[in-house]
Amino acid sequence: MKTLLPFYKKPLSPGTGLGIYVGLYLFFLYLPVCLIPLFSFNDSIQAAFPLKGFTLNWYRALLHNDGVRRALLTSLEVGSISAFLATLCGLTLAYARVFMRTRLSVLLSGLCQLPLLIPGVIVGIAMLIVVNIIGVGPSRVALVCGHMLVGLPTAFMILHGRLSGLSRSISEAAEDLGAREWTTFSRIILPLAIPALGSAFMLAFLTSFDEFIIAFFLTGSEPTLPVYIWGQLRFPRSLPLVMALGSLILAVSIVIAAVSELMRRRGKLTERQA
């Protein structure tokens, strides 16, 4: 018994304590998320244990739901357009910040990251006031502008990180050889930034696709998928369909985020090999 006492008295290393804390944190954070796919296969409208049985009926019902189809098409259209515009603006601001370094570029790049610091409900109310003043009102155009605003910080940070990793000697050497700034950008800088462009577009699209607060204020007669889900929560019988739809959205979000991360790492690997 005495030989076991030193083992029990040995304190945990800082790394072990941190690992236990992180494990408990992740368990508490992701357990509710993991329950959604579990209950989506339950043969009951009640989200409770014990499970009644296994069924795929809720997923089959999604295929014949016109409301889900229309909301999905709206989210895809708005997400694609807003992600493209956010990526384009993010590339412009990142290039100006890295290669021009003017006071205006520093100011604009700082302003584009403000949506990360301002609560979404404040941004949504402000956007609603603006679109009503200019006469657009809640519509797809307003929704695209709102989602471009919230997707821009993500796109900018990814592209700024990629462009800032490029050596300035590349553009200086091109200028010494007689290349103009547009030629240097289109033939040298842009090809090197393509993986980061794809990553920025995917994350901006994912931000738009999952965004609810701003969409709640700016959606017109055609709701996005998150707004449609919010509306269906009022009906208890629609809960299994909502959980099935949420499971699919979760799976697609994980895939898009994983592909975006792979593209970002591929860009870094290409830079090191070059």
Side-chain angles (χ1 to χ4, degrees):
M1 187 68 180
K2 292 182 179 181
T3 59
L4 296 177
L5 290 179
F7 173 78
Y8 288 105
K9 290 182 179 181
K10 184 179 179 180
L12 295 175
S13 64
T16 303
L18 179 61
I20 294 175
Y21 168 77
V22 172
L24 292 175
Y25 174 79
L26 293 177
F27 177 79
F28 175 78
L29 182 65
Y30 289 106
L31 179 61
V33 178
C34 294
L35 289 178
I36 293 178
L38 178 63
F39 285 123
S40 68
F41 295 105
N42 186 26
D43 191 14
S44 174
I45 63 172
Q46 299 294 331
F49 290 104
L51 301 180
K52 186 177 180 182
F54 179 85
T55 183
L56 294 174
N57 291 335
W58 311 123
Y59 289 91
R60 295 191 186 98
L62 290 177
L63 299 176
H64 306 285
N65 193 308
D66 293 334
V68 172
R69 189 181 300 109
R70 288 193 298 268
L72 176 61
L73 292 176
T74 300
S75 290
L76 291 176
E77 181 180 346
V78 171
S80 300
I81 298 175
S82 62
F84 173 79
L85 295 176
T87 304
L88 182 62
C89 292
L91 176 62
T92 304
L93 291 173
Y95 179 83
R97 177 68 182 270
V98 174
F99 292 98
M100 296 180 180
R101 297 182 179 179
T102 62
R103 292 184 178 180
L104 180 61
S105 65
V106 174
L107 176 62
L108 292 178
S109 61
L111 291 176
C112 80
Q113 300 178 68
L114 282 180
L116 294 175
L117 306 176
I118 303 176
V121 63
I122 303 299
V123 177
I125 294 173
M127 289 292 298
L128 179 61
I129 294 174
V130 171
V131 298
N132 284 331
I133 290 177
I134 64 178
V136 176
S139 60
R140 286 198 182 188
V141 175
L143 196 54
V144 167
C145 294
H147 281 186
M148 183 190 71
L149 183 67
V150 297
L152 179 57
T154 302
F156 169 79
M157 288 188 293
I158 294 175
L159 293 168
H160 179 267
R162 180 69 181 101
L163 296 183
S164 61
L166 299 178
S167 175
R168 291 185 59 86
S169 61
I170 298 176
S171 59
E172 292 173 356
E175 292 175 1
D176 291 340
L177 294 174
R180 296 183 178 180
E181 185 175 358
W182 171 251
T183 304
T184 303
F185 171 76
S186 60
R187 295 190 178 183
I188 299 176
I189 303 299
L190 190 60
L192 292 175
I194 285 179
L197 282 170
S199 177
F201 176 85
M202 288 185 178
L203 288 183
F205 173 83
L206 190 59
T207 301
S208 170
F209 192 80
D210 295 337
E211 204 281 325
F212 168 74
I213 298 178
I214 294 178
F216 181 79
F217 287 98
L218 300 181
T219 295
S221 58
E222 299 175 334
T224 61
L225 210 53
V227 176
Y228 176 82
I229 292 175
W230 168 260
Q232 293 301 305
L233 290 177
R234 296 175 299 174
F235 310 105
R237 290 189 172 275
S238 299
L239 183 59
L241 289 176
V242 169
M243 289 189 291
L245 184 57
S247 301
L248 294 177
I249 294 176
L250 178 63
V252 171
S253 300
I254 292 175
V255 171
I256 293 177
V259 172
S260 173
E261 179 64 17
L262 289 175
M263 294 185 68
R264 187 184 67 84
R265 293 187 179 184
R266 181 182 178 184
K268 286 189 174 182
L269 181 61
T270 304
E271 178 187 350
R272 292 175 182 175
Q273 292 176 348

